[in-house]
Amino acid sequence: MAASNKISAAFQSEINGLETSIVYLPEGKHRISATVGGKPKTMDVEIDSRIGASFAEDLTKRLACNVRPFAGFDHSSGPASFIPKEFRYEEGVGLMLDVEWTEAGRKAIEGRDYSYFSPTFLVSTTGIPTGLAARGEIGSLVNDPAFEEIPRIAAAHIQSNNMIEQLIELGLVEASQDEESAMDKAKSNLASLRESASTAESDEDKAASAERYAKMEAQLSDVLEENKKLKEGMAEKAAASAEIAIADAVKAGRIAPQDEATKAFWKSSILANPEAVNALNAIPVNPVLSGQTVLAGRSESAPQEIVELTGIAKVEAAFKSQQSK
């Protein structure tokens, strides 16, 4: 499964008034200088019409939940600036978002206290935006020009972090609990709560403890179900990202359009290890497949003998190409 990074302030869209639609992600290829887990990192991110369906689906799911999605201020906890309504993609512009401004957001824009919007979204390790995080803000109004030059990226492993946050909110684990043992600790604490309900001295205490246990058990079940769906969704998006990488490789002339076996090989490789896409992109372009003019077995732009590689030979060539750089 491809891991996703949660990006904040990777792009900024200027807001000149109380528009009902804003540019959520601008179309095109963008190089982002950012930090991941406190370490600097540069990422190439590509936005085109392929991402629209994923964002629309994630927003629909979040709008159906009890906790509404929202945009904030300065990527900090606090009041909402607007409520997202619907995503749509406009060719030549990018991913658009219809919004409903809150009172706080309306005053901030009308008073010119804030001038820019900065989105928060998930991006795959291959640089393809994959949708919205399951919880938290979808972006913020910002006013610091430094964000445009030094975007911030939150920690990866969104699914694990979301689950721990929920367990902390339920009071089943402490904020310092590590990821690996969080669920076991939560179940242990829930079992202790059930035991205390059975050993309470008075009938009133027993009833109160039993009610609290039943509520906690139901909430924990909801957390498990939500995270199961999140994992399934991430798996679907990982598959979609692999398909995009393969389609790009076909278009670039690295894989023959009819070579289904090689496509299947690379898809399984990328799903097993997202870094495999780097090896795929390192495969030398075959001028015959890329549409370059070839004369007497040689390419005009690259005067070398044409050798078509397939299967494992492609993998070996890709890794050799990377090692020589």
Side-chain angles (χ1 to χ4, degrees):
M1 181 186 300
S4 292
N5 289 322
K6 184 178 180 181
I7 294 184
S8 298
F11 307 95
Q12 288 188 337
S13 300
E14 186 172 5
I15 298 177
N16 297 313
L18 290 175
E19 304 158 326
T20 56
S21 297
I22 63 173
V23 178
Y24 189 82
L25 293 174
E27 185 174 272
K29 294 182 179 180
H30 307 268
R31 173 153 291 184
I32 305 167
S33 297
T35 57
V36 179
K39 298 180 179 180
K41 183 175 182 179
T42 299
M43 297 180 65
D44 291 320
V45 180
E46 184 174 2
I47 289 89
D48 58 32
S49 59
R50 294 174 295 182
I51 72 171
S54 179
F55 278 84
E57 179 183 354
D58 286 351
L59 180 57
T60 298
K61 290 179 180 178
R62 291 197 57 175
L63 288 170
C65 296
N66 293 331
V67 180
R68 69 181 184 182
F70 67 94
F73 292 90
D74 297 316
H75 298 293
S76 301
S77 59
S81 57
F82 66 75
I83 307 303
K85 297 175 64 178
E86 185 178 10
F87 277 114
R88 53 190 168 79
Y89 197 89
E90 287 190 13
E91 293 291 345
V93 180
L95 185 63
M96 304 295 294
L97 176 62
D98 295 337
V99 305
E100 179 183 346
W101 294 97
T102 63
E103 184 68 12
R106 182 183 65 78
K107 289 181 177 179
I109 297 300
E110 288 182 339
R112 304 189 70 177
D113 295 321
Y114 286 85
S115 301
Y116 300 92
F117 171 72
S118 172
T120 298
F121 59 100
L122 302 179
V123 63
S124 71
T125 54
T126 59
I128 305 296
T130 59
L132 300 174
R135 297 165 62 84
E137 64 159 38
I138 67 158
S140 274
L141 295 184
V142 296
N143 214 27
D144 187 346
F147 281 164
E148 191 167 6
E149 299 298 329
I150 310 175
R152 299 180 301 172
I153 299 182
H157 310 300
I158 301 304
Q159 183 271 331
S160 297
N161 289 342
N162 279 337
M163 183 177 69
I164 292 178
E165 289 172 5
Q166 291 171 293
L167 296 178
I168 292 171
E169 289 176 7
L170 293 177
L172 289 174
V173 299
E174 298 292 334
S176 58
Q177 188 68 45
D178 61 282
E179 293 182 17
E180 290 75 12
S181 60
M183 183 52 68
D184 289 338
K185 184 64 175 178
K187 291 179 178 179
S188 175
N189 288 338
L190 188 63
S192 297
L193 183 60
R194 179 178 57 188
E195 186 175 344
S196 65
S198 63
T199 58
E201 294 183 359
S202 68
D203 291 340
E204 184 178 348
D205 288 342
K206 284 184 179 180
S209 296
E211 182 179 354
R212 186 182 174 210
Y213 167 77
K215 182 179 180 180
M216 284 283 191
E217 185 180 39
Q219 290 176 322
L220 180 58
S221 177
D222 290 341
V223 169
L224 292 172
E225 181 63 24
E226 179 181 334
N227 280 275
K228 176 184 176 183
K229 291 179 179 179
L230 182 58
K231 284 182 178 180
E232 292 172 348
M234 289 178 68
E236 292 175 0
K237 290 175 182 178
S241 294
E243 292 285 0
I244 290 172
I246 292 168
D248 288 344
V250 171
K251 184 177 180 181
R254 294 185 174 92
I255 300 177
Q258 296 80 23
D259 193 348
E260 298 301 329
T262 298
K263 291 180 186 178
F265 168 81
W266 279 109
K267 182 175 182 178
S268 61
S269 297
I270 294 171
L271 290 176
N273 178 11
E275 296 301 322
V277 74
N278 296 325
L280 174 59
N281 292 335
I283 293 175
V285 172
N286 187 328
V288 174
L289 300 179
S290 63
Q292 297 180 32
T293 302
V294 178
L295 301 176
R298 296 177 181 270
S299 166
E300 288 187 326
S301 60
Q304 57 186 359
E305 185 178 355
I306 300 170
V307 179
E308 183 173 358
L309 303 177
T310 59
I312 297 301
K314 283 190 174 184
V315 180
E316 294 175 348
F319 281 108
K320 287 180 181 178
S321 176
Q322 280 190 313
Q323 291 171 353
S324 65
K325 293 181 180 180

